[in-house]
Structure formats: structure tokens, C-alpha cells
């Protein structure tokens, strides 16, 4: 039935309030997206630190694994991993999406750490005899996490869409009492001609919520780029060499321009 007293958005085929199911579905869908993003971030941090800190054969091996994972379409890889489970569940969706997101974080962190290896503070720490582990975890990793954290907000939007897609295909939680947006969209197929609102509202949630996270992530990424650009311009301020005008001036004394 359509909207009515006590049912602002109408009810589904079993007479359950659609608005209530959308709210509960938001909790389930966001839980899957956030959990998958955190697991993917953790796996990407491990691989990125190994590749960026040690380099050489370790870097080559990790990057070849990452290249193989990136060569497969993300949704196809997630569907393949989720289909391997003997019984569909929420955890299979989380693990499948997390595996897909690991190479994204690994490649990004590895690039940031390679840039940190040649930075001045890392070279100074090596010259002072600081141990490798201290250099990696006190100097390189903390200064490399900024772009990765910003990227996680963008990946969260992709995780929500992938979670909805897997639930739509029947690879998510089969329990109808714990609705998800993709599951609701799949169940609305048989009513779509007579009651299209059953499919429209979950579809709008799947579109606009990831769009919101994408806009937030884009703004954070722009702010991060502005901060990095400002720091680079400040660190490379021009320096000129003063000519030797008097006997009391040191030859080649660097001075900053007025």
C-alpha cells in the first residue's frame, strides 16, 4: 500500500512500514561499509608499510600482488569472493569488499612512504643513527597517513555501493528481519509495476548517501592538496647569495630576499 496514516512512505508487501525499514537498513548498510573500509585500510596499511619501508624484492612482490588485484573489476572480484562462501551472510560481504579495497590503500601508502624516504627529516634521522623501526613508525608512517585517511572517505562511498550490490544479488544477509538497502531493492522487483515506490526509496538512499561521502571526501582531498602545496611553496622559498662587499662579510653568505 501507498502512504497513509502511520505509514509516511507506505508499506512493503508484508505490511511493514517502509520508512522504518529504510532507517534500519541504513544502520546495516553503513555498518557493512564502515567495517569493510576499516578492514581494507588495515590490510592496505600492512602491505603499504612492507612495500614502502623495505623496498627491493619485498616491494616488487607486494606491488605485483596489488597489480593483479587491481586488474580485476572491483565488483566482479567482490562477487567472486562472496560467492565462495557456503552460506551468504553479512560477514562474507564485509570480507569481500575489504579484499577489494586493500590494494587501493596499499598503493597509496606505498607511494607516500617512498616520498618520505628521501625527505629531509628521514635523512637526518638516518644520519643520527636512529634505528630503522623508529624511522619507519615514528617518522615515515605518521607523515604518510594523511592522503590515506582522506582516501578512506572516498572508499567508504564505494563500499556502500558494493554492499548494496551484493545484497541485491542475494549474497548478503538472508535474514529479512534485518533489512539492507540492496536487499530491499531486490525484494521490490516483483512489486515494481504496481508499487514502484518500494524500489524508488531504497535506490535514492543508495545514490545520495554515497554521494554525500564522495563530496566530503573530495573536499577533504582538496584541503589536503592545498595544505601540501602551501608547505611545498614555503619549504622552497628562494635564497640568494650576497656579494662580498666588505672585508667583514663572509663570502657566499646566503641571505633571504627582502
Amino acid at each position: 500500500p501507498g502512504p497513509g496514516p502511520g505509514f509516511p512512505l507506505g508499506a512493503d508487501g508484508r505490511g511493514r512500514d517502509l520508512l522504518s525499514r529504510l532507517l534500519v537498513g541504513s544502520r546495516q548498510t553503513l555498518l557493512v561499509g564502515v567495517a569493510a573500509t576499516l578492514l581494507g585500510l588495515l590490510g592496505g596499511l600492512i602491505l603499504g608499510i612492507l612495500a614502502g619501508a623495505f623496498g627491493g624484492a619485498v616491494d616488487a612482490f607486494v606491488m605485483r600482488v596489488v597489480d593483479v588485484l587491481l586488474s580485476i573489476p572491483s565488483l566482479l572480484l567482490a562477487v567472486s569472493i562472496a560467492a565462495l562462501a557456503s552460506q551468504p551472510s553479512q560477514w562474507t560481504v564485509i570480507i569481500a569488499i575489504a579484499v577489494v579495497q586493500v590494494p587501493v590503500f596499499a598503493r597509496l601508502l606505498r607511494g607516500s612512504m617512498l616520498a618520505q624516504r628521501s625527505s629531509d627529516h628521514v635523512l637526518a634521522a638516518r644520519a643520527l643513527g636512529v634505528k630503522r623501526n623508529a624511522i619507519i613508525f615514528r617518522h615515515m608512517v605518521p607523515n604518510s597517513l594523511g592522503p590515506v585517511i582522506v582516501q578512506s572517505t572516498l572508499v567508504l562511498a564505494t563500499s556502500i555501493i558494493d554492499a548494496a550490490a551484493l545484497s541485491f544479488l542475494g549474497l548478503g544477509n538472508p535474514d529479512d528481519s534485518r533489512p539492507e538497502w540492496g536487499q530491499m531493492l531486490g525484494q521490490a522487483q516483483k512489486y515494481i509495476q504496481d508499487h514502484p515506490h518500494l524500489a524508488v526509496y531504497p535506490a535514492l538512499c543508495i545514490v545520495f548517501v554515497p554521494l554525500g561521502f564522495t563530496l566530503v571526501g573530495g573536499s577533504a582531498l582538496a584541503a589536503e592538496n592545498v595544505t601540501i602545496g602551501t608547505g611545498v611553496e614555503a619549504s622552497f622559498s628562494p635564497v640568494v647569495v650576497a656579494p662580498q662587499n666588505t672585508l667583514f662579510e663572509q663570502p657566499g653568505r646566503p641571505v633571504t630576499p627582502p
Side-chain angles (χ1 to χ4, degrees):
F7 300 92
L9 300 180
D12 63 0
R14 298 184 181 180
R16 296 171 295 190
D17 182 39
L18 185 58
L19 179 59
S20 300
R21 289 180 60 79
L22 286 174
L23 295 177
V24 176
S26 66
R27 181 180 62 187
Q28 299 298 324
T29 304
L30 292 176
L31 175 63
V32 173
V34 172
T37 302
L38 291 178
L39 286 179
L41 177 61
L42 179 61
L45 288 178
I46 295 175
L47 294 181
I49 290 174
L50 290 176
F54 295 98
V58 177
D59 182 21
F61 175 76
V62 172
M63 285 299 102
R64 296 299 77 77
V65 174
V66 168
D67 291 339
V68 170
L69 293 176
L70 290 176
S71 65
I72 305 174
S74 59
L75 184 57
L76 178 60
L77 180 59
V79 170
S80 302
I81 296 174
L84 295 176
S86 58
Q87 184 178 0
S89 66
Q90 197 174 57
W91 278 106
T92 59
V93 175
I94 292 175
I95 294 175
I97 299 175
V99 172
V100 172
Q101 307 300 348
V102 165
V104 177
F105 292 116
R107 180 178 287 274
L108 183 60
L109 181 61
R110 179 248 186 188
S112 298
M113 292 196 64
L114 289 181
Q116 290 293 325
R117 289 177 63 179
S118 58
S119 60
D120 293 339
H121 63 278
V122 172
L123 295 178
R126 290 177 179 173
L128 293 174
V130 180
K131 296 181 179 180
R132 172 186 283 187
N133 292 337
I135 294 177
I136 293 174
F137 293 104
R138 292 184 181 179
H139 298 279
M140 296 176 64
V141 174
N143 290 289
S144 302
L145 289 179
V148 178
I149 295 175
V150 172
Q151 182 67 25
S152 64
T153 59
L154 300 173
V155 170
L156 179 58
T158 306
S159 300
I160 293 175
I161 296 175
D162 291 344
L166 294 179
S167 298
F168 177 82
L169 296 174
L171 298 175
N173 186 13
D175 188 3
D176 192 29
S177 63
R178 300 174 61 188
E180 295 178 0
W181 291 338
Q183 179 194 75
M184 296 174 63
L185 188 60
Q187 293 175 349
Q189 292 183 84
K190 51 186 176 182
Y191 306 108
I192 194 169
Q193 293 184 355
D194 298 328
H195 304 286
H197 66 281
L198 296 178
V200 170
Y201 292 123
L204 290 177
C205 293
I206 295 172
V207 170
F208 284 106
V209 172
L211 178 61
F213 283 109
T214 302
L215 294 177
V216 173
S219 301
L221 183 60
E224 179 73 16
N225 291 336
V226 169
T227 303
I228 294 175
T230 304
V232 171
E233 293 175 1
S235 62
F236 287 92
S237 58
V239 176
V240 297
V241 177
Q244 185 177 359
N245 295 327
T246 64
L247 296 176
F248 299 99
E249 292 182 350
Q250 298 179 359
R253 178 175 57 89
V255 296
T256 56

